[in-house]
Amino acid sequence: MQYIDNIIFLILLVAGFGLFAKSLQKIYRNIRLGREINRSDRKGERWETMARVAMGQSRMSARPVAGILHLFVYVGFVIINIELVEIIVDGIFGTHRFLSSVFGDTFYNIFTATLEILAVLVIIGVVIFFIRRNFYGVKRLTMKELFGWPKNDANWILIIEFALMAAFFMMNSTDLILQKRGSLAAHGSFPVSQITLVPFLEIFSFDSIYLEIFERGAWWFHFVGILFFMNYLYYSKHLHIILAFPSTWYANLDLYGKFNNLDSVTKEIKLMMDPNADPYAAPAEGAEEAPSKFGAEDVFDLNQVQLLNAYSCTECGRCTSVCPANITGKKLSPRAILMKTRDRLEEVGRNIDKNGKFEDDGKKLLNDYITKEELWACTTCNACTEACPILLDPLSIIFEMRRFLVMEQSAAPQELNLMMTNVENNAAPWQYNQADRLNWAKD
């Protein structure tokens, strides 16, 4: 019976990480539903971009207050969970503060003191974020696409992080009192606990048995809470904690908004313009095959990086807050484009889970999730891609869906159809005869 705690701990550990691995596998499968795209070039630049943007938070500085608070939460939460290694070893083998034997008492004291300071910064950050999100009225955090689950999800994450930090301090405080009483070996330095919870707990002069219950309860809460948080990520916008790294690595390193030409279309144009061209000639080596469909009607037609972007969206709304179409009252929200793409992708994933393969459900990303009105409201100014803190590219999804409307359905707005007709007939977007094109320059 003395090993029952260790067995329960091991079962929870395996189950928690097993479920997490299953969730990641499902995300990977869903992303693989998209078209393949080669983003393996310029590896050095990609590693540098990932380190600077995902790890270094370089683009968060555009909004300094939010950037600093986010850095508190990000750095603090990540480093504090280094302690998870110690919790795992202690839980499996029944040791107490295992890392003290690895680091030595001096360095371990520095380590635990640093964790407490970082935990305070995390608490400050999540409290301010909670107030800011719910009571301060930041416009980009109160838009209609956040009503319901997205807003609740953001709040639950902040509450969970606060609860985990509170359990961390309770664990340290009761541990420190027990160390002073000789019930536990003295390891670690806890400056924050020493001046906050410890004096409060000592007022009540709890017996050591109760302190041990408090310490074990906080320890188990912290451990189970981390496993819960880890598995909750699959259902949350906070997947960006993990997916920001591959998203920034596979980010578009070319000019934002650069429209990619299709080799198959270029070939057709050349055939039209060159009377000596052989229409039956074999395609040049390395040329892409003609796609079965031009542009994107559903998530299957988007590329895998675009689907990864949809899962990685933090829903921060920086893209939408600078979108000129949205600012002037248009229906378009770049954030909503990514959110709706993710929602459709999740629906497709559930369809596959249920049927073993995708069965046509009569729905498409176009019209059922994203409307034509949203797509044509975009000015392609790139403000959204410039504003994104992790280099996501909602504009590329808009491009592909517009391409489908134009090339597959001939459903461009009248203004665009008129312009394209003029280009075809007059070699210019204006409705002038070619002979009159330079009349404006006379005199």
PDB file of all heavy atoms in Angstrom, residues 209-241:
ATOM      1  N   ILE A 209       0.316  17.529  10.608  1.00  0.00           N
ATOM      2  CA  ILE A 209      -0.481  16.607   9.801  1.00  0.00           C
ATOM      3  C   ILE A 209      -1.376  17.362   8.820  1.00  0.00           C
ATOM      4  O   ILE A 209      -1.538  16.962   7.662  1.00  0.00           O
ATOM      5  CB  ILE A 209      -1.327  15.663  10.697  1.00  0.00           C
ATOM      6  CG1 ILE A 209      -2.059  14.640   9.835  1.00  0.00           C
ATOM      7  CG2 ILE A 209      -2.320  16.458  11.545  1.00  0.00           C
ATOM      8  CD1 ILE A 209      -1.170  13.673   9.135  1.00  0.00           C
ATOM      9  N   TYR A 210      -1.928  18.500   9.261  1.00  0.00           N
ATOM     10  CA  TYR A 210      -2.769  19.304   8.376  1.00  0.00           C
ATOM     11  C   TYR A 210      -1.929  20.007   7.306  1.00  0.00           C
ATOM     12  O   TYR A 210      -2.358  20.127   6.146  1.00  0.00           O
ATOM     13  CB  TYR A 210      -3.563  20.330   9.177  1.00  0.00           C
ATOM     14  CG  TYR A 210      -4.573  19.704  10.110  1.00  0.00           C
ATOM     15  CD1 TYR A 210      -4.444  19.825  11.489  1.00  0.00           C
ATOM     16  CD2 TYR A 210      -5.650  18.997   9.605  1.00  0.00           C
ATOM     17  CE1 TYR A 210      -5.365  19.247  12.348  1.00  0.00           C
ATOM     18  CE2 TYR A 210      -6.582  18.411  10.457  1.00  0.00           C
ATOM     19  CZ  TYR A 210      -6.436  18.536  11.823  1.00  0.00           C
ATOM     20  OH  TYR A 210      -7.354  17.949  12.671  1.00  0.00           O
ATOM     21  N   LEU A 211      -0.758  20.462   7.712  1.00  0.00           N
ATOM     22  CA  LEU A 211       0.134  21.098   6.737  1.00  0.00           C
ATOM     23  C   LEU A 211       0.577  20.107   5.663  1.00  0.00           C
ATOM     24  O   LEU A 211       0.711  20.465   4.488  1.00  0.00           O
ATOM     25  CB  LEU A 211       1.355  21.687   7.442  1.00  0.00           C
ATOM     26  CG  LEU A 211       1.084  22.915   8.317  1.00  0.00           C
ATOM     27  CD1 LEU A 211       2.339  23.286   9.103  1.00  0.00           C
ATOM     28  CD2 LEU A 211       0.625  24.095   7.468  1.00  0.00           C
ATOM     29  N   GLU A 212       0.797  18.864   6.074  1.00  0.00           N
ATOM     30  CA  GLU A 212       1.167  17.833   5.101  1.00  0.00           C
ATOM     31  C   GLU A 212       0.015  17.587   4.123  1.00  0.00           C
ATOM     32  O   GLU A 212       0.242  17.386   2.919  1.00  0.00           O
ATOM     33  CB  GLU A 212       1.544  16.541   5.830  1.00  0.00           C
ATOM     34  CG  GLU A 212       2.883  16.628   6.561  1.00  0.00           C
ATOM     35  CD  GLU A 212       3.154  15.390   7.405  1.00  0.00           C
ATOM     36  OE1 GLU A 212       2.356  14.421   7.316  1.00  0.00           O
ATOM     37  OE2 GLU A 212       4.158  15.385   8.126  1.00  0.00           O
ATOM     38  N   ILE A 213      -1.222  17.610   4.652  1.00  0.00           N
ATOM     39  CA  ILE A 213      -2.382  17.448   3.773  1.00  0.00           C
ATOM     40  C   ILE A 213      -2.475  18.624   2.800  1.00  0.00           C
ATOM     41  O   ILE A 213      -2.711  18.436   1.592  1.00  0.00           O
ATOM     42  CB  ILE A 213      -3.674  17.330   4.610  1.00  0.00           C
ATOM     43  CG1 ILE A 213      -3.678  16.025   5.414  1.00  0.00           C
ATOM     44  CG2 ILE A 213      -4.908  17.414   3.704  1.00  0.00           C
ATOM     45  CD1 ILE A 213      -4.820  15.924   6.402  1.00  0.00           C
ATOM     46  N   PHE A 214      -2.263  19.852   3.295  1.00  0.00           N
ATOM     47  CA  PHE A 214      -2.286  21.032   2.425  1.00  0.00           C
ATOM     48  C   PHE A 214      -1.185  20.951   1.362  1.00  0.00           C
ATOM     49  O   PHE A 214      -1.419  21.245   0.182  1.00  0.00           O
ATOM     50  CB  PHE A 214      -2.104  22.311   3.244  1.00  0.00           C
ATOM     51  CG  PHE A 214      -3.245  22.623   4.163  1.00  0.00           C
ATOM     52  CD1 PHE A 214      -3.045  23.422   5.283  1.00  0.00           C
ATOM     53  CD2 PHE A 214      -4.518  22.124   3.926  1.00  0.00           C
ATOM     54  CE1 PHE A 214      -4.096  23.715   6.145  1.00  0.00           C
ATOM     55  CE2 PHE A 214      -5.579  22.410   4.780  1.00  0.00           C
ATOM     56  CZ  PHE A 214      -5.362  23.205   5.898  1.00  0.00           C
ATOM     57  N   GLU A 215       0.003  20.545   1.810  1.00  0.00           N
ATOM     58  CA  GLU A 215       1.148  20.480   0.886  1.00  0.00           C
ATOM     59  C   GLU A 215       0.917  19.436  -0.196  1.00  0.00           C
ATOM     60  O   GLU A 215       1.122  19.686  -1.380  1.00  0.00           O
ATOM     61  CB  GLU A 215       2.422  20.156   1.676  1.00  0.00           C
ATOM     62  CG  GLU A 215       3.710  20.322   0.869  1.00  0.00           C
ATOM     63  CD  GLU A 215       4.087  19.073   0.071  1.00  0.00           C
ATOM     64  OE1 GLU A 215       3.643  17.963   0.449  1.00  0.00           O
ATOM     65  OE2 GLU A 215       4.819  19.203  -0.928  1.00  0.00           O
ATOM     66  N   ARG A 216       0.454  18.238   0.214  1.00  0.00           N
ATOM     67  CA  ARG A 216       0.177  17.169  -0.752  1.00  0.00           C
ATOM     68  C   ARG A 216      -0.996  17.541  -1.664  1.00  0.00           C
ATOM     69  O   ARG A 216      -0.974  17.273  -2.866  1.00  0.00           O
ATOM     70  CB  ARG A 216      -0.132  15.864  -0.020  1.00  0.00           C
ATOM     71  CG  ARG A 216       1.063  15.153   0.592  1.00  0.00           C
ATOM     72  CD  ARG A 216       2.017  14.605  -0.456  1.00  0.00           C
ATOM     73  NE  ARG A 216       2.999  15.601  -0.902  1.00  0.00           N
ATOM     74  CZ  ARG A 216       3.836  15.398  -1.920  1.00  0.00           C
ATOM     75  NH1 ARG A 216       3.784  14.283  -2.618  1.00  0.00           N
ATOM     76  NH2 ARG A 216       4.704  16.332  -2.257  1.00  0.00           N
ATOM     77  N   GLY A 217      -1.999  18.177  -1.090  1.00  0.00           N
ATOM     78  CA  GLY A 217      -3.148  18.584  -1.896  1.00  0.00           C
ATOM     79  C   GLY A 217      -2.753  19.585  -2.963  1.00  0.00           C
ATOM     80  O   GLY A 217      -3.164  19.474  -4.123  1.00  0.00           O
ATOM     81  N   ALA A 218      -1.937  20.588  -2.570  1.00  0.00           N
ATOM     82  CA  ALA A 218      -1.472  21.591  -3.539  1.00  0.00           C
ATOM     83  C   ALA A 218      -0.562  20.952  -4.581  1.00  0.00           C
ATOM     84  O   ALA A 218      -0.624  21.298  -5.771  1.00  0.00           O
ATOM     85  CB  ALA A 218      -0.738  22.711  -2.806  1.00  0.00           C
ATOM     86  N   TRP A 219       0.274  20.019  -4.141  1.00  0.00           N
ATOM     87  CA  TRP A 219       1.195  19.327  -5.060  1.00  0.00           C
ATOM     88  C   TRP A 219       0.412  18.543  -6.099  1.00  0.00           C
ATOM     89  O   TRP A 219       0.686  18.624  -7.299  1.00  0.00           O
ATOM     90  CB  TRP A 219       2.104  18.404  -4.240  1.00  0.00           C
ATOM     91  CG  TRP A 219       3.207  17.735  -5.010  1.00  0.00           C
ATOM     92  CD1 TRP A 219       4.464  18.199  -5.233  1.00  0.00           C
ATOM     93  CD2 TRP A 219       3.139  16.443  -5.652  1.00  0.00           C
ATOM     94  NE1 TRP A 219       5.190  17.297  -5.972  1.00  0.00           N
ATOM     95  CE2 TRP A 219       4.391  16.209  -6.245  1.00  0.00           C
ATOM     96  CE3 TRP A 219       2.138  15.479  -5.781  1.00  0.00           C
ATOM     97  CZ2 TRP A 219       4.682  15.041  -6.947  1.00  0.00           C
ATOM     98  CZ3 TRP A 219       2.420  14.316  -6.496  1.00  0.00           C
ATOM     99  CH2 TRP A 219       3.677  14.107  -7.067  1.00  0.00           C
ATOM    100  N   TRP A 220      -0.598  17.775  -5.640  1.00  0.00           N
ATOM    101  CA  TRP A 220      -1.416  17.004  -6.570  1.00  0.00           C
ATOM    102  C   TRP A 220      -2.252  17.916  -7.466  1.00  0.00           C
ATOM    103  O   TRP A 220      -2.401  17.660  -8.669  1.00  0.00           O
ATOM    104  CB  TRP A 220      -2.340  16.049  -5.800  1.00  0.00           C
ATOM    105  CG  TRP A 220      -1.666  14.770  -5.395  1.00  0.00           C
ATOM    106  CD1 TRP A 220      -1.168  14.456  -4.177  1.00  0.00           C
ATOM    107  CD2 TRP A 220      -1.431  13.628  -6.224  1.00  0.00           C
ATOM    108  NE1 TRP A 220      -0.626  13.189  -4.184  1.00  0.00           N
ATOM    109  CE2 TRP A 220      -0.779  12.652  -5.435  1.00  0.00           C
ATOM    110  CE3 TRP A 220      -1.712  13.322  -7.560  1.00  0.00           C
ATOM    111  CZ2 TRP A 220      -0.401  11.405  -5.933  1.00  0.00           C
ATOM    112  CZ3 TRP A 220      -1.332  12.083  -8.060  1.00  0.00           C
ATOM    113  CH2 TRP A 220      -0.686  11.139  -7.254  1.00  0.00           C
ATOM    114  N   PHE A 221      -2.780  18.984  -6.919  1.00  0.00           N
ATOM    115  CA  PHE A 221      -3.569  19.927  -7.726  1.00  0.00           C
ATOM    116  C   PHE A 221      -2.710  20.530  -8.826  1.00  0.00           C
ATOM    117  O   PHE A 221      -3.147  20.647  -9.972  1.00  0.00           O
ATOM    118  CB  PHE A 221      -4.144  21.036  -6.833  1.00  0.00           C
ATOM    119  CG  PHE A 221      -5.015  22.015  -7.575  1.00  0.00           C
ATOM    120  CD1 PHE A 221      -6.379  21.793  -7.690  1.00  0.00           C
ATOM    121  CD2 PHE A 221      -4.478  23.148  -8.167  1.00  0.00           C
ATOM    122  CE1 PHE A 221      -7.192  22.687  -8.388  1.00  0.00           C
ATOM    123  CE2 PHE A 221      -5.268  24.045  -8.863  1.00  0.00           C
ATOM    124  CZ  PHE A 221      -6.633  23.810  -8.974  1.00  0.00           C
ATOM    125  N   HIS A 222      -1.482  20.911  -8.472  1.00  0.00           N
ATOM    126  CA  HIS A 222      -0.571  21.508  -9.456  1.00  0.00           C
ATOM    127  C   HIS A 222      -0.266  20.508 -10.563  1.00  0.00           C
ATOM    128  O   HIS A 222      -0.304  20.848 -11.750  1.00  0.00           O
ATOM    129  CB  HIS A 222       0.715  21.945  -8.757  1.00  0.00           C
ATOM    130  CG  HIS A 222       1.610  22.777  -9.617  1.00  0.00           C
ATOM    131  ND1 HIS A 222       1.331  24.075  -9.969  1.00  0.00           N
ATOM    132  CD2 HIS A 222       2.805  22.496 -10.208  1.00  0.00           C
ATOM    133  CE1 HIS A 222       2.294  24.559 -10.733  1.00  0.00           C
ATOM    134  NE2 HIS A 222       3.198  23.617 -10.890  1.00  0.00           N
ATOM    135  N   PHE A 223       0.010  19.266 -10.182  1.00  0.00           N
ATOM    136  CA  PHE A 223       0.352  18.237 -11.171  1.00  0.00           C
ATOM    137  C   PHE A 223      -0.840  17.910 -12.073  1.00  0.00           C
ATOM    138  O   PHE A 223      -0.727  17.937 -13.304  1.00  0.00           O
ATOM    139  CB  PHE A 223       0.832  16.973 -10.449  1.00  0.00           C
ATOM    140  CG  PHE A 223       0.914  15.762 -11.332  1.00  0.00           C
ATOM    141  CD1 PHE A 223       1.825  15.708 -12.379  1.00  0.00           C
ATOM    142  CD2 PHE A 223       0.065  14.674 -11.143  1.00  0.00           C
ATOM    143  CE1 PHE A 223       1.898  14.596 -13.213  1.00  0.00           C
ATOM    144  CE2 PHE A 223       0.130  13.559 -11.970  1.00  0.00           C
ATOM    145  CZ  PHE A 223       1.040  13.526 -13.009  1.00  0.00           C
ATOM    146  N   VAL A 224      -1.997  17.608 -11.477  1.00  0.00           N
ATOM    147  CA  VAL A 224      -3.189  17.271 -12.266  1.00  0.00           C
ATOM    148  C   VAL A 224      -3.627  18.482 -13.091  1.00  0.00           C
ATOM    149  O   VAL A 224      -4.064  18.338 -14.237  1.00  0.00           O
ATOM    150  CB  VAL A 224      -4.330  16.787 -11.344  1.00  0.00           C
ATOM    151  CG1 VAL A 224      -5.614  16.574 -12.138  1.00  0.00           C
ATOM    152  CG2 VAL A 224      -3.935  15.497 -10.630  1.00  0.00           C
ATOM    153  N   GLY A 225      -3.472  19.688 -12.528  1.00  0.00           N
ATOM    154  CA  GLY A 225      -3.821  20.897 -13.262  1.00  0.00           C
ATOM    155  C   GLY A 225      -2.994  21.082 -14.519  1.00  0.00           C
ATOM    156  O   GLY A 225      -3.507  21.494 -15.567  1.00  0.00           O
ATOM    157  N   ILE A 226      -1.707  20.752 -14.430  1.00  0.00           N
ATOM    158  CA  ILE A 226      -0.842  20.854 -15.609  1.00  0.00           C
ATOM    159  C   ILE A 226      -1.284  19.856 -16.676  1.00  0.00           C
ATOM    160  O   ILE A 226      -1.341  20.189 -17.869  1.00  0.00           O
ATOM    161  CB  ILE A 226       0.632  20.620 -15.219  1.00  0.00           C
ATOM    162  CG1 ILE A 226       1.155  21.811 -14.412  1.00  0.00           C
ATOM    163  CG2 ILE A 226       1.499  20.414 -16.462  1.00  0.00           C
ATOM    164  CD1 ILE A 226       2.531  21.603 -13.812  1.00  0.00           C
ATOM    165  N   LEU A 227      -1.608  18.633 -16.275  1.00  0.00           N
ATOM    166  CA  LEU A 227      -2.087  17.625 -17.233  1.00  0.00           C
ATOM    167  C   LEU A 227      -3.408  18.072 -17.862  1.00  0.00           C
ATOM    168  O   LEU A 227      -3.613  17.909 -19.075  1.00  0.00           O
ATOM    169  CB  LEU A 227      -2.277  16.279 -16.540  1.00  0.00           C
ATOM    170  CG  LEU A 227      -1.013  15.576 -16.020  1.00  0.00           C
ATOM    171  CD1 LEU A 227      -1.386  14.223 -15.418  1.00  0.00           C
ATOM    172  CD2 LEU A 227       0.016  15.397 -17.120  1.00  0.00           C
ATOM    173  N   PHE A 228      -4.306  18.626 -17.040  1.00  0.00           N
ATOM    174  CA  PHE A 228      -5.580  19.120 -17.562  1.00  0.00           C
ATOM    175  C   PHE A 228      -5.350  20.250 -18.552  1.00  0.00           C
ATOM    176  O   PHE A 228      -5.938  20.273 -19.643  1.00  0.00           O
ATOM    177  CB  PHE A 228      -6.472  19.588 -16.411  1.00  0.00           C
ATOM    178  CG  PHE A 228      -7.749  20.232 -16.871  1.00  0.00           C
ATOM    179  CD1 PHE A 228      -8.832  19.447 -17.260  1.00  0.00           C
ATOM    180  CD2 PHE A 228      -7.877  21.614 -16.954  1.00  0.00           C
ATOM    181  CE1 PHE A 228     -10.017  20.031 -17.697  1.00  0.00           C
ATOM    182  CE2 PHE A 228      -9.054  22.195 -17.393  1.00  0.00           C
ATOM    183  CZ  PHE A 228     -10.127  21.403 -17.766  1.00  0.00           C
ATOM    184  N   PHE A 229      -4.512  21.216 -18.183  1.00  0.00           N
ATOM    185  CA  PHE A 229      -4.207  22.355 -19.052  1.00  0.00           C
ATOM    186  C   PHE A 229      -3.637  21.870 -20.378  1.00  0.00           C
ATOM    187  O   PHE A 229      -4.017  22.347 -21.456  1.00  0.00           O
ATOM    188  CB  PHE A 229      -3.217  23.272 -18.342  1.00  0.00           C
ATOM    189  CG  PHE A 229      -2.803  24.471 -19.145  1.00  0.00           C
ATOM    190  CD1 PHE A 229      -3.579  25.619 -19.173  1.00  0.00           C
ATOM    191  CD2 PHE A 229      -1.630  24.460 -19.890  1.00  0.00           C
ATOM    192  CE1 PHE A 229      -3.203  26.722 -19.915  1.00  0.00           C
ATOM    193  CE2 PHE A 229      -1.242  25.556 -20.632  1.00  0.00           C
ATOM    194  CZ  PHE A 229      -2.034  26.696 -20.646  1.00  0.00           C
ATOM    195  N   MET A 230      -2.723  20.912 -20.306  1.00  0.00           N
ATOM    196  CA  MET A 230      -2.068  20.391 -21.505  1.00  0.00           C
ATOM    197  C   MET A 230      -3.091  19.780 -22.464  1.00  0.00           C
ATOM    198  O   MET A 230      -3.020  19.987 -23.681  1.00  0.00           O
ATOM    199  CB  MET A 230      -1.036  19.349 -21.083  1.00  0.00           C
ATOM    200  CG  MET A 230      -0.204  18.773 -22.198  1.00  0.00           C
ATOM    201  SD  MET A 230       1.155  17.770 -21.531  1.00  0.00           S
ATOM    202  CE  MET A 230       0.228  16.426 -20.788  1.00  0.00           C
ATOM    203  N   ASN A 231      -4.065  19.043 -21.933  1.00  0.00           N
ATOM    204  CA  ASN A 231      -5.063  18.401 -22.787  1.00  0.00           C
ATOM    205  C   ASN A 231      -6.192  19.345 -23.185  1.00  0.00           C
ATOM    206  O   ASN A 231      -6.873  19.111 -24.189  1.00  0.00           O
ATOM    207  CB  ASN A 231      -5.621  17.163 -22.083  1.00  0.00           C
ATOM    208  CG  ASN A 231      -4.651  15.993 -22.132  1.00  0.00           C
ATOM    209  OD1 ASN A 231      -4.525  15.325 -23.155  1.00  0.00           O
ATOM    210  ND2 ASN A 231      -3.945  15.759 -21.045  1.00  0.00           N
ATOM    211  N   TYR A 232      -6.378  20.396 -22.411  1.00  0.00           N
ATOM    212  CA  TYR A 232      -7.377  21.410 -22.764  1.00  0.00           C
ATOM    213  C   TYR A 232      -6.929  22.223 -23.983  1.00  0.00           C
ATOM    214  O   TYR A 232      -7.768  22.768 -24.711  1.00  0.00           O
ATOM    215  CB  TYR A 232      -7.598  22.328 -21.557  1.00  0.00           C
ATOM    216  CG  TYR A 232      -8.547  23.472 -21.807  1.00  0.00           C
ATOM    217  CD1 TYR A 232      -9.924  23.264 -21.875  1.00  0.00           C
ATOM    218  CD2 TYR A 232      -8.071  24.773 -21.971  1.00  0.00           C
ATOM    219  CE1 TYR A 232     -10.794  24.320 -22.089  1.00  0.00           C
ATOM    220  CE2 TYR A 232      -8.939  25.831 -22.195  1.00  0.00           C
ATOM    221  CZ  TYR A 232     -10.290  25.592 -22.251  1.00  0.00           C
ATOM    222  OH  TYR A 232     -11.143  26.634 -22.478  1.00  0.00           O
ATOM    223  N   LEU A 233      -5.628  22.283 -24.218  1.00  0.00           N
ATOM    224  CA  LEU A 233      -5.108  23.091 -25.319  1.00  0.00           C
ATOM    225  C   LEU A 233      -5.734  22.728 -26.654  1.00  0.00           C
ATOM    226  O   LEU A 233      -5.939  23.589 -27.510  1.00  0.00           O
ATOM    227  CB  LEU A 233      -3.578  22.927 -25.418  1.00  0.00           C
ATOM    228  CG  LEU A 233      -2.731  23.561 -24.315  1.00  0.00           C
ATOM    229  CD1 LEU A 233      -1.263  23.293 -24.568  1.00  0.00           C
ATOM    230  CD2 LEU A 233      -2.992  25.053 -24.202  1.00  0.00           C
ATOM    231  N   TYR A 234      -6.042  21.444 -26.849  1.00  0.00           N
ATOM    232  CA  TYR A 234      -6.613  21.008 -28.128  1.00  0.00           C
ATOM    233  C   TYR A 234      -7.906  21.760 -28.442  1.00  0.00           C
ATOM    234  O   TYR A 234      -8.212  22.044 -29.599  1.00  0.00           O
ATOM    235  CB  TYR A 234      -6.885  19.503 -28.104  1.00  0.00           C
ATOM    236  CG  TYR A 234      -7.610  19.003 -29.328  1.00  0.00           C
ATOM    237  CD1 TYR A 234      -6.927  18.804 -30.527  1.00  0.00           C
ATOM    238  CD2 TYR A 234      -8.986  18.759 -29.316  1.00  0.00           C
ATOM    239  CE1 TYR A 234      -7.579  18.368 -31.664  1.00  0.00           C
ATOM    240  CE2 TYR A 234      -9.651  18.327 -30.450  1.00  0.00           C
ATOM    241  CZ  TYR A 234      -8.951  18.128 -31.615  1.00  0.00           C
ATOM    242  OH  TYR A 234      -9.597  17.703 -32.749  1.00  0.00           O
ATOM    243  N   TYR A 235      -8.684  22.089 -27.443  1.00  0.00           N
ATOM    244  CA  TYR A 235      -9.974  22.744 -27.620  1.00  0.00           C
ATOM    245  C   TYR A 235      -9.872  24.266 -27.535  1.00  0.00           C
ATOM    246  O   TYR A 235     -10.877  24.956 -27.631  1.00  0.00           O
ATOM    247  CB  TYR A 235     -10.957  22.250 -26.544  1.00  0.00           C
ATOM    248  CG  TYR A 235     -11.062  20.755 -26.486  1.00  0.00           C
ATOM    249  CD1 TYR A 235     -10.301  20.025 -25.580  1.00  0.00           C
ATOM    250  CD2 TYR A 235     -11.895  20.064 -27.364  1.00  0.00           C
ATOM    251  CE1 TYR A 235     -10.388  18.628 -25.537  1.00  0.00           C
ATOM    252  CE2 TYR A 235     -11.977  18.677 -27.329  1.00  0.00           C
ATOM    253  CZ  TYR A 235     -11.222  17.975 -26.410  1.00  0.00           C
ATOM    254  OH  TYR A 235     -11.299  16.608 -26.375  1.00  0.00           O
ATOM    255  N   SER A 236      -8.664  24.775 -27.388  1.00  0.00           N
ATOM    256  CA  SER A 236      -8.476  26.180 -27.051  1.00  0.00           C
ATOM    257  C   SER A 236      -7.657  26.914 -28.100  1.00  0.00           C
ATOM    258  O   SER A 236      -6.876  26.318 -28.839  1.00  0.00           O
ATOM    259  CB  SER A 236      -7.772  26.262 -25.685  1.00  0.00           C
ATOM    260  OG  SER A 236      -7.351  27.562 -25.405  1.00  0.00           O
ATOM    261  N   LYS A 237      -7.833  28.225 -28.116  1.00  0.00           N
ATOM    262  CA  LYS A 237      -6.986  29.074 -28.960  1.00  0.00           C
ATOM    263  C   LYS A 237      -5.534  29.040 -28.484  1.00  0.00           C
ATOM    264  O   LYS A 237      -4.630  29.446 -29.207  1.00  0.00           O
ATOM    265  CB  LYS A 237      -7.491  30.512 -28.925  1.00  0.00           C
ATOM    266  CG  LYS A 237      -7.312  31.183 -27.568  1.00  0.00           C
ATOM    267  CD  LYS A 237      -7.518  32.676 -27.661  1.00  0.00           C
ATOM    268  CE  LYS A 237      -7.129  33.348 -26.349  1.00  0.00           C
ATOM    269  NZ  LYS A 237      -6.742  34.727 -26.517  1.00  0.00           N
ATOM    270  N   HIS A 238      -5.313  28.532 -27.270  1.00  0.00           N
ATOM    271  CA  HIS A 238      -3.962  28.532 -26.714  1.00  0.00           C
ATOM    272  C   HIS A 238      -3.077  27.430 -27.290  1.00  0.00           C
ATOM    273  O   HIS A 238      -1.981  27.204 -26.800  1.00  0.00           O
ATOM    274  CB  HIS A 238      -4.020  28.453 -25.195  1.00  0.00           C
ATOM    275  CG  HIS A 238      -4.348  29.770 -24.575  1.00  0.00           C
ATOM    276  ND1 HIS A 238      -5.606  30.306 -24.632  1.00  0.00           N
ATOM    277  CD2 HIS A 238      -3.578  30.682 -23.918  1.00  0.00           C
ATOM    278  CE1 HIS A 238      -5.612  31.493 -24.027  1.00  0.00           C
ATOM    279  NE2 HIS A 238      -4.406  31.735 -23.591  1.00  0.00           N
ATOM    280  N   LEU A 239      -3.557  26.780 -28.359  1.00  0.00           N
ATOM    281  CA  LEU A 239      -2.680  25.895 -29.128  1.00  0.00           C
ATOM    282  C   LEU A 239      -1.455  26.649 -29.641  1.00  0.00           C
ATOM    283  O   LEU A 239      -0.438  26.043 -29.976  1.00  0.00           O
ATOM    284  CB  LEU A 239      -3.442  25.296 -30.307  1.00  0.00           C
ATOM    285  CG  LEU A 239      -4.066  23.909 -30.108  1.00  0.00           C
ATOM    286  CD1 LEU A 239      -4.870  23.529 -31.335  1.00  0.00           C
ATOM    287  CD2 LEU A 239      -2.991  22.871 -29.841  1.00  0.00           C
ATOM    288  N   HIS A 240      -1.572  27.982 -29.721  1.00  0.00           N
ATOM    289  CA  HIS A 240      -0.427  28.758 -30.227  1.00  0.00           C
ATOM    290  C   HIS A 240       0.790  28.610 -29.323  1.00  0.00           C
ATOM    291  O   HIS A 240       1.915  28.883 -29.758  1.00  0.00           O
ATOM    292  CB  HIS A 240      -0.802  30.237 -30.384  1.00  0.00           C
ATOM    293  CG  HIS A 240      -0.930  30.981 -29.093  1.00  0.00           C
ATOM    294  ND1 HIS A 240      -2.108  31.066 -28.398  1.00  0.00           N
ATOM    295  CD2 HIS A 240      -0.022  31.688 -28.368  1.00  0.00           C
ATOM    296  CE1 HIS A 240      -1.929  31.788 -27.305  1.00  0.00           C
ATOM    297  NE2 HIS A 240      -0.672  32.175 -27.258  1.00  0.00           N
ATOM    298  N   ILE A 241       0.604  28.176 -28.065  1.00  0.00           N
ATOM    299  CA  ILE A 241       1.742  27.919 -27.184  1.00  0.00           C
ATOM    300  C   ILE A 241       2.687  26.916 -27.837  1.00  0.00           C
ATOM    301  O   ILE A 241       3.920  27.018 -27.710  1.00  0.00           O
ATOM    302  CB  ILE A 241       1.251  27.376 -25.818  1.00  0.00           C
ATOM    303  CG1 ILE A 241       0.475  28.455 -25.069  1.00  0.00           C
ATOM    304  CG2 ILE A 241       2.413  26.873 -24.971  1.00  0.00           C
ATOM    305  CD1 ILE A 241      -0.193  27.960 -23.803  1.00  0.00           C
TER     306      ILE A 241
END
